């Protein structure tokens, strides 16, 4: 079920500029108080003099709450006990001051003999306390809300940074393994004095690494880009295995623009080469398929190797990251909204199936 958006009034954009938000709330609150008190006075059949008194009362309250906001802002920097004690004392003194000024203004306008008396002050003190206490509660409530929202934002930023760091770590785990195999092959070609082949492999390795460096480790790329990267990788491996390595691609054109984590499929193909092509004299076929099924993209990497029954270590790469690494990357990218299965292919060999949501946009930021 979709989460309902929060009310605009209490959303962060309104409080993005705290000073502006304060003055707007201050003006709206006291204007509303003035209107409410005026309507109440008129409904009781009172004369215009009382409306003047109500207006003065609202102005006094507006000024006192401005002073309260400055004092409360300072108290918030103090330890908890002094903060609470000073806030209570300040509220009491502000209430007394409000009652005295309110009573004096009322006597000037309404009474024949202006002046202060205890009865008049006590008659106004309850309303004044209620108003100031309500204003104070709203002030602290909004500030507490903003603190909580800021902490939530910080937590989300930290979680996002941690997730990005973990994705980067998982991506970078794969590069040393691939580099070791490729550089070892180049070294072998050099020892065999096959300089042209070694140079060609170095050129293709350079192109492959240029692609990996051009994209952020946490970026998502299109399926078409991922397939092109696989082909570039297979050109390097083709120089090692020649006709023993027989790659095939069956990619649905409708899924070509679907996005997925970069270099997600490369370790699967590398795994297939290690356990299907290398141990067999005739090599093996490696087939990469991708198709669109509704709003899901189904990707499979299938080989015609001996299968997991004859190679117990098949489910992971020699560095120990392998399939577990891919599972973690999928979990980081899609949460529970994905499927990952690996095992025996019905026709023989090994098969890995991945199902992810069909997305056309980069979840975080675009690949280079």
């Amino acid at each position: 079920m979709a989460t309902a958006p929060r009310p605009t009034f209490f959303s962060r954009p309104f409080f993005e500029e705290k000073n502006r938000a304060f003055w707007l709330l201050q003006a709206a609150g006291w204007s509303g108080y003035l209107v409410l008190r005026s309507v109440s006075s008129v409904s009781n059949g009172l004369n215009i003099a009382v409306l003047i008194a109500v207006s003065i009362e609202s102005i006094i309250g507006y000024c006192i709450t401005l002073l309260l906001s400055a004092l409360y802002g300072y108290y918030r920097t103090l330890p908890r006990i002094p903060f609470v004690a000073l806030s209570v004392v300040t509220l009491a003194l502000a209430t007394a001051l409000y009652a005295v000024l309110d009573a004096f203004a009322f006597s000037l306008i309404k009474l024949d003999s202006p002046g202060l008396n205890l009865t008049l002050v006590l008659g106004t003190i309850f309303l004044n306390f209620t108003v100031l206490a309500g204003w104070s509660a709203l002030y602290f409530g909004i500030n507490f809300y903003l603190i909580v929202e800021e902490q939530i934002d910080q937590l989300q930023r930290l979680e996002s940074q941690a997730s990005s760091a973990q994705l980067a770590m998982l991506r970078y785990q794969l590069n040393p393994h691939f580099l070791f195999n490729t550089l070892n092959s180049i070294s072998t070609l050099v020892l065999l004095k096959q300089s042209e082949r070694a140079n060609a492999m170095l050129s293709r390795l350079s192109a492959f690494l240029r692609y990996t460096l051009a994209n952020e480790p946490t970026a998502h790329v299109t399926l078409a880009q991922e397939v092109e990267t696989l082909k570039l990788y297979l050109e390097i491996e083709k120089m090692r295995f020649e006709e023993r390595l027989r790659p095939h691609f069956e990619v649905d054109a409708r899924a070509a623009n679907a996005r997925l984590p970069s270099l997600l499929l490369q370790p699967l193909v590398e795994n297939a080469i290690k356990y299907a092509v290398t141990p067999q004299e005739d090599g093996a076929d490696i087939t990469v398929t991708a198709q669109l099924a509704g709003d899901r993209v189904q990707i499979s990497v299938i080989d015609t190797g001996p299968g997991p029954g004859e190679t117990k270590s098949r489910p992971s790469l020699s560095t120990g990251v392998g399939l577990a690494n891919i599972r973690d990357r999928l979990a980081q990218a899609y949460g529970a909204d994905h499927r990952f299965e690996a095992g025996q292919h019905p026709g023989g060999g090994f098969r890995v199936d991945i199902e992810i949501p069909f997305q056309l946009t980069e979840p975080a930021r675009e690949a280079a």
Side-chain angles (χ1 to χ4, degrees):
M1 180 181 295
T3 303
R6 291 181 298 180
T8 303
F9 185 77
F10 285 105
S11 63
R12 282 307 299 272
F14 179 80
F15 292 105
E16 203 65 49
E17 298 180 15
K18 293 183 180 180
N19 288 333
R20 173 178 172 273
F22 171 80
W23 289 110
L24 286 175
L25 289 174
Q26 182 79 344
W30 282 107
S31 297
Y33 176 79
L34 174 60
V35 171
L36 182 63
R37 291 277 286 144
S38 299
V39 170
S40 176
S41 299
V42 170
S43 65
N44 291 328
L46 299 179
N47 56 36
I48 193 66
V50 176
L51 294 180
I52 297 175
V54 168
S55 299
I56 295 176
E57 174 190 338
S58 300
I59 294 172
I60 293 173
Y62 181 91
C63 295
I64 289 177
T65 51
L66 289 181
L67 178 60
L68 283 178
S69 68
L71 292 174
Y72 287 161
Y74 171 73
Y75 296 160
R76 286 166 53 200
T77 63
L78 302 176
R80 181 174 299 178
I81 294 178
F83 161 69
V84 174
L86 286 173
S87 297
V88 171
V89 171
T90 301
L91 176 60
L93 293 176
T95 301
L97 176 63
Y98 194 8
V100 169
L101 295 176
D102 192 13
F104 182 73
F106 183 82
S107 69
L108 284 176
I109 296 172
K110 186 66 178 174
L111 302 182
D112 295 332
S113 55
L116 287 175
N117 60 73
L118 184 61
T119 302
L120 191 58
V121 171
L122 292 177
T124 59
I125 198 167
F126 177 76
L127 176 62
N128 298 145
F129 173 76
T130 302
V131 171
L132 293 183
W135 184 94
S136 299
L138 186 61
Y139 175 88
F140 288 120
I142 291 176
N143 279 279
F144 177 75
Y145 164 81
L146 291 177
I147 292 172
V148 172
E149 284 291 293
E150 185 176 353
Q151 291 176 344
I152 291 174
D153 289 345
Q154 290 177 350
L155 181 60
Q156 290 176 342
R157 285 194 295 269
L158 290 174
E159 288 178 347
S160 177
Q161 291 171 1
S163 177
S164 296
Q166 184 172 0
L167 281 172
M169 178 194 69
L170 292 171
R171 238 290 300 274
Y172 285 135
Q173 277 182 331
L174 304 174
N175 294 339
H177 181 268
F178 166 68
L179 283 174
F180 172 80
N181 284 344
T182 305
L183 292 176
N184 188 55
S185 298
I186 293 173
S187 176
T188 302
L189 291 175
V190 171
L191 289 175
L192 295 174
K193 298 183 179 181
Q194 299 182 18
S195 56
E196 291 185 3
R197 295 187 64 195
N199 184 62
M201 185 174 281
L202 274 173
S203 298
R204 290 169 182 173
L205 175 62
S206 175
F208 180 81
L209 292 179
R210 186 181 301 112
Y211 171 84
T212 62
L213 293 174
N215 289 295
E216 293 290 338
T218 58
H220 285 209
V221 299
T222 64
L223 181 59
Q225 287 175 301
E226 184 75 356
V227 169
E228 289 303 313
T229 308
L230 281 179
K231 291 179 178 178
L232 187 58
Y233 165 75
L234 286 167
E235 285 181 7
I236 298 172
E237 297 290 20
K238 190 80 171 174
M239 297 192 68
R240 292 173 56 201
F241 298 100
E242 297 180 339
E243 298 304 319
R244 294 173 59 206
L245 173 59
R246 299 180 293 276
H248 309 279
F249 291 90
E250 300 173 5
V251 179
D252 187 346
R254 298 176 301 166
N257 292 323
R259 290 193 170 267
L260 71 165
S262 64
L263 289 183
L264 181 71
L265 304 181
Q266 184 268 338
L268 297 178
V269 174
E270 184 177 359
N271 206 30
I273 291 174
K274 179 177 179 62
Y275 293 104
V277 178
T278 302
Q280 298 188 115
E281 184 177 350
D282 294 334
D285 292 271
I286 299 176
T287 303
V288 178
T289 67
Q291 60 182 358
L292 185 63
D295 60 349
R296 314 289 291 180
V297 179
Q298 298 173 343
I299 304 171
S300 299
V301 177
I302 308 166
D303 64 57
T304 57
E310 299 180 30
T311 311
K312 293 183 180 180
S313 61
R314 180 58 182 269
S316 47
L317 301 176
S318 60
T319 55
V321 295
L323 302 186
N325 179 292
I326 297 171
R327 286 192 182 95
D328 289 342
R329 294 187 68 194
L330 288 170
Q332 285 289 325
Y334 303 106
D337 191 20
H338 76 278
R339 181 175 63 87
F340 181 86
E341 296 178 357
Q344 181 76 43
H345 181 55
F350 193 73
R351 178 188 185 107
V352 176
D353 294 313
I354 296 174
E355 183 177 286
I356 57 176
F358 179 57
Q359 297 175 342
L360 293 175
T361 56
E362 166 72 50
R365 55 183 166 182
E366 295 291 334

